[in-house]
Amino acid sequence: MNESDVKKLFEDNGQEHVFGFWNELDPSQKNNLIESCSQVDFKWLKERCDNVKNGINEIEIPTDITPAPVICLTDTKDHKEATVLGIEALKAGKVGVFLVAGGQGSRLGFNGPKGCYEVGPCTNKTLFQWHAEQIRASSIRYGVSIPWYIMTSTLNHDDTEKFFKDNDYFGLGAENVKCFKQRMVPSVDLNYKLILAQKDGLAVNPDGHGGCFWALCNRGALDDMKTRGIEYLSYFQVDNPLVKIIDPLFIGYHVKAGAQMSSKILKKAYPEEKVGHICLDEGKTTVIEYSDMPEDQMHAKGDDGELKFWAGSIAIHILSTSFVDEVGGQAKLPWHVAHKKIPFIDDFGSHVVPSSNNGIKFETFVFDALPITSSSITLEVAREEEFAPVKNADGLDSPASCRQLMSNRFGEWLEAAGKSVPRDGEGNVSINIEISPLFALDQDEFAGKCPEGLEVKDGMVL
Ligand code: UTP
């Protein structure tokens, strides 16, 4: 669109204020603003804003939910068969890994892609390196190269690619690490007006991890998977270094069930824990966010006196590529609304970082694809083995809690191998310990490798 068409469109939609600094802009800034404005889909924006204005929640909260069937930690009878199937799929080169890393990481407040955040309790290894070492160790174990697809956004794409290049792709090979961008959508203020992030650009945000379906299908990733014969994608988030990126048991259960999208869950630590609830709604697997779960259901108890909805989603999934292909490009996931602090340019041209929520972001969530699957399995995992997210700068789910959970996990491996590990009064390992995935991917492997005369002490790195 040319300049006058864009300006007219914005006037017609009551958004002409975004050209308030037009006369101050140099020609290249004017181009930037026109380019930024040309991306706005007013039909989409109007629908979203009208829904918020009219109090319409696009997320239908089912009222008649039951707990979803879960393969629990104790249901081990089919584990062997599932593991064999998973290993077969891996060795046949049918498995790729898929990291969603396009988010803004605003709660952590780190300047740069979140994957560049250093979490190693002793070595300060970054999240990206932890993930890369796991993928490399798994490639070695199964004798196959495992392609790694990374969804980024315009906020962090170039920095992410540079980080991997500067680190020589952590030995995975450039051809096996593929970054691609998700889409961005505009944010609005509390009066539904578009926001200037700078004088020559609108405030936009990535379209949520649910945007991965469109991005996989439209940014070359799915085509690459087809060429390589990838049938299953192990989906994970950037912020959890304890995620088992390659888990033959999980893959195998998914394969065995002919599932389209499967999920890992853990037992909620307490009723209000901020994890999604995996439930059944009229036979369809569905995740209800903690913020959308009715209070009475959140606290409901079953006949056994335990929490009825005890299964919390930890955002680890297997996606069948045929499912992504089938629904991906046009998956109509509902838009979630988040009130956030969005930095902006005020009427006087100053950059303002607000101290309270001043705007709305619209995002889609990957788990909203679960109800459109024809088949899905849910597998319980042990919290201490697989969950240590870095979300906040401090307190709960912070770098400090993540490092403690990492040391705790490695402490358990050492104890299982017969070593004594110091713990504090709360049961936490009281020294920093780190075991690289390249040394051992899991407790069993560690048990077979634990050096005999190993001295367990603070700062121990294997
Ligand atoms: P979070 O929900 O934790 O969001 O993302 P975030 O953007 O990283 O952090 P906050 O909320 O601003 O503090 C969970 C995972 O989904 C990815 C993130 O990169 C992270 O791995 N994600 C999130 C995307 O890839 N795209 C998005 O649009 C949103």
Side-chain angles (χ1 to χ4, degrees):
M1 277 195 286
N2 64 33
E3 183 188 317
S4 60
D5 287 347
V6 174
K7 284 185 167 168
K8 169 93 175 46
L9 184 66
F10 273 63
E11 258 172 50
D12 292 348
N13 285 281
Q15 303 282 2
E16 62 278 11
H17 64 282
V18 304
F19 295 102
F21 300 101
W22 185 255
N23 293 335
E24 291 177 26
L25 303 182
D26 65 29
S28 96
Q29 289 174 314
K30 284 182 176 166
N31 275 339
N32 292 344
L33 186 57
I34 293 296
E35 172 59 27
S36 174
C37 290
S38 304
Q39 310 295 322
V40 177
D41 174 347
F42 277 109
K43 182 170 174 287
W44 173 89
L45 187 64
K46 186 172 176 335
E47 266 171 32
R48 303 286 80 68
C49 293
D50 283 353
N51 283 345
V52 182
K53 273 185 222 168
N54 298 323
I56 297 171
N57 187 353
E58 294 189 30
I59 323 305
E60 279 176 39
I61 315 292
T63 45
D64 190 16
I65 47 170
T66 50
V70 175
I71 303 163
C72 296
L73 286 174
T74 47
D75 295 337
T76 53
K77 72 175 176 25
D78 294 331
H79 273 22
K80 214 168 172 185
E81 186 194 348
T83 306
V84 169
L85 284 173
I87 292 175
E88 262 172 32
L90 278 160
K91 289 192 168 168
K94 293 181 181 175
V95 181
V97 296
F98 176 34
L99 169 66
V100 286
Q104 293 174 294
S106 48
R107 283 170 288 173
L108 182 62
F110 172 63
N111 191 13
K114 206 179 198 179
C116 301
Y117 195 85
E118 296 173 348
V119 288
C122 308
T123 61
N124 287 329
K125 255 177 221 171
T126 60
L127 284 158
F128 278 144
Q129 185 168 352
W130 274 103
H131 301 324
E133 290 188 3
Q134 261 203 79
I135 297 166
R136 194 151 160 237
S138 301
S139 291
I140 296 166
R141 183 184 276 190
Y142 300 108
V144 64
S145 65
I146 301 174
W148 185 6
Y149 302 93
I150 304 177
M151 184 171 82
T152 58
S153 64
T154 46
L155 303 171
N156 56 26
H157 182 83
D158 294 346
D159 289 342
T160 302
E161 285 209 315
K162 182 172 182 314
F163 184 77
F164 276 94
K165 194 160 184 240
D166 289 349
N167 286 284
D168 199 18
Y169 302 88
F170 298 102
L172 294 167
E175 69 287 3
N176 292 320
V177 182
K178 306 260 176 201
C179 297
F180 59 97
K181 287 187 223 171
Q182 66 182 116
R183 284 188 292 191
M184 306 293 285
V185 290
S187 322
V188 290
D189 70 14
L190 299 175
N191 295 313
Y192 311 101
K193 294 286 183 195
L194 292 162
I195 298 169
L196 279 180
Q198 58 271 337
K199 288 181 181 174
D200 63 349
L202 300 177
V204 288
N205 61 273
D207 63 352
H209 36 65
C212 72
F213 290 100
W214 184 92
L216 284 166
C217 292
N218 291 284
R219 296 271 152 95
L222 191 65
D223 290 338
D224 186 76
M225 290 167 206
K226 285 182 182 166
T227 313
R228 293 176 188 244
I230 301 294
E231 292 181 22
Y232 309 104
L233 276 183
S234 180
Y235 168 106
F236 66 108
Q237 301 193 152
V238 73
D239 52 36
N240 178 14
L242 293 193
V243 56
K244 258 191 205 171
I245 300 176
I246 291 290
D247 183 354
L249 180 73
F250 187 31
I251 298 165
Y253 271 118
H254 177 92
V255 173
K256 186 165 173 261
Q260 294 185 314
M261 176 174 176
S262 296
S263 313
K264 278 190 173 179
I265 56 98
L266 44 68
K267 191 174 252 173
K268 282 196 299 175
Y270 45 93
E272 308 82 9
E273 186 175 8
K274 291 185 173 177
V275 286
H277 299 79
I278 292 240
C279 314
L280 279 190
D281 169 30
E282 294 180 8
K284 291 278 175 198
T285 308
T286 190
V287 170
I288 304 183
E289 270 276 82
Y290 59 90
S291 47
D292 291 330
M293 188 73 167
E295 274 284 309
D296 55 333
Q297 300 283 32
M298 192 181 272
H299 293 92
K301 299 260 172 81
D303 294 341
D304 55 2
E306 298 288 325
L307 274 184
K308 186 171 173 194
F309 296 100
W310 59 272
S313 168
I314 47 172
I316 302 172
H317 303 282
I318 303 287
L319 294 169
S320 287
T321 50
S322 54
F323 174 64
V324 175
D325 201 9
E326 200 181 302
V327 301
Q330 67 278 9
K332 290 258 178 298
L333 301 182
W335 290 89
H336 294 247
V337 172
H339 287 84
K340 298 268 183 175
K341 297 179 193 117
I342 303 173
F344 65 100
I345 301 292
D346 70 11
D347 293 347
F348 307 101
S350 305
H351 187 256
V352 181
V353 179
S355 54
S356 56
N357 293 340
N358 64 323
I360 297 173
K361 287 182 183 173
F362 300 102
E363 289 182 317
T364 55
F365 291 171
V366 71
F367 54 70
D368 284 326
L370 278 168
I372 52 176
T373 59
S374 57
S375 169
S376 164
I377 62 106
T378 307
L379 179 69
E380 184 188 6
V381 299
R383 176 184 291 268
E384 54 286 2
E385 264 296 305
E386 302 203 27
F387 194 51
V390 179
K391 296 281 187 197
N392 306 309
D394 39 42
L396 200 66
D397 298 340
S398 64
S401 67
C402 173
R403 288 187 193 109
Q404 178 65 65
L405 291 167
M406 291 175 86
S407 287
N408 285 358
R409 189 229 242 180
F410 299 132
E412 270 180 40
W413 290 9
L414 283 157
E415 284 165 346
K419 303 285 171 197
S420 149
V421 179
R423 287 183 180 264
D424 65 18
E426 287 174 5
N428 286 315
V429 168
S430 54
I431 54 173
N432 294 315
I433 322 173
E434 213 177 293
I435 301 173
S436 161
L438 288 167
F439 184 83
L441 267 171
D442 50 42
Q443 187 173 313
D444 286 347
E445 187 179 6
F446 182 74
K449 273 187 169 175
C450 179
E452 251 190 26
L454 181 72
E455 197 191 334
V456 177
K457 55 176 189 199
D458 190 29
M460 193 199 89
V461 178
L462 284 172

